[in-house]
Amino acid sequence: MKYKRLTKEQLEELHQEFINFLATQSITADEWNDIKKNKPEVAEEELDIFSDLIWEGVLKKAEFLEHFSKDQIHLFYLSDTKMHLIAVKVNAPGIDVTTNEGYDWLRNNLLDDQVVFYNADKAYGEDPNMDKFTLILQGATITKGELYTYFEKLIAKKV
């Protein structure tokens, strides 16, 4: 398995896609029930293969990732050849941007000296999707990029 198995909830959401996946392998509902009952290791392999296919599709389409920690926000734009990072670091004691109060403080104090912006580019390794997946395992979430776009414009104004 390349990535990680989808959760039970994710698999339930993708029930129809899983049926289609089994159909592409000429596995009927009765055969699937028999496999689950009599060859659980084969059923596990099929779930792993399906999970990897779903992850590949999701990661290929992902354009933006966000990761919040207590005093930092990491915003990633995932281009075809590299990842571009905009990082926001809050050096104000007691401010936790993962809380509503801390995030509100950041919004109201973006130009404060205690808020520092960083930019960086990083080329992908051999497998761009694995690089993206690693960030997700570290807590990043796939987004539509509104925050990235906002901060990109803000940084351009400051320059």
Side-chain angles (χ1 to χ4, degrees):
M1 165 160 248
K2 183 174 179 179
Y3 300 109
K4 75 175 193 175
R5 179 164 314 157
L6 298 172
T7 64
K8 183 179 183 209
E9 293 80 14
Q10 290 168 326
L11 288 167
E12 286 171 2
E13 284 289 319
L14 295 167
H15 179 74
Q16 186 58 50
E17 289 82 353
F18 186 65
I19 290 171
N20 295 342
F21 166 76
L22 292 175
T24 63
Q25 299 183 61
S26 302
I27 299 174
T28 66
D30 290 339
E31 289 171 324
W32 177 244
N33 288 329
D34 182 57
I35 290 170
K36 288 191 301 186
K37 182 179 177 184
N38 298 313
K39 299 178 185 173
E41 68 284 349
V42 173
E44 298 288 319
E45 286 176 26
E46 292 296 331
L47 289 171
D48 290 347
I49 292 167
F50 178 72
S51 293
D52 279 348
L53 286 171
I54 294 298
W55 275 113
E56 281 289 334
V58 167
L59 294 167
K60 185 177 180 184
K61 291 179 187 175
E63 284 188 75
F64 297 95
L65 294 175
E66 293 178 1
H67 184 268
F68 283 74
S69 61
K70 182 180 179 300
D71 61 350
Q72 295 184 49
I73 302 173
H74 290 120
L75 307 167
F76 298 91
Y77 168 62
L78 309 169
S79 75
D80 290 339
T81 58
K82 63 185 174 185
M83 293 184 272
H84 182 72
L85 166 69
I86 296 174
V88 181
K89 172 114 173 79
V90 176
N91 294 318
I95 301 298
D96 180 348
V97 296
T98 64
T99 67
N100 287 336
E101 298 80 18
Y103 189 75
D104 287 343
W105 181 93
L106 175 62
R107 282 195 347 222
N108 294 324
N109 295 280
L110 283 173
L111 301 177
D112 191 288
D113 289 342
Q114 296 178 95
V115 178
V116 183
F117 296 92
Y118 299 95
N119 278 297
D121 287 324
K122 180 182 178 194
Y124 294 117
E126 280 187 32
D127 186 347
N129 283 348
M130 187 53 77
D131 292 345
K132 297 172 191 178
F133 187 70
T134 299
L135 291 171
I136 290 169
L137 288 178
Q138 294 170 351
T141 55
I142 297 170
T143 69
K144 294 181 180 174
E146 291 98 346
L147 263 183
Y148 180 93
T149 304
Y150 174 80
F151 280 107
E152 182 181 43
K153 290 176 184 171
L154 182 69
I155 290 169
K157 287 179 185 176
K158 285 183 79 173
V159 173

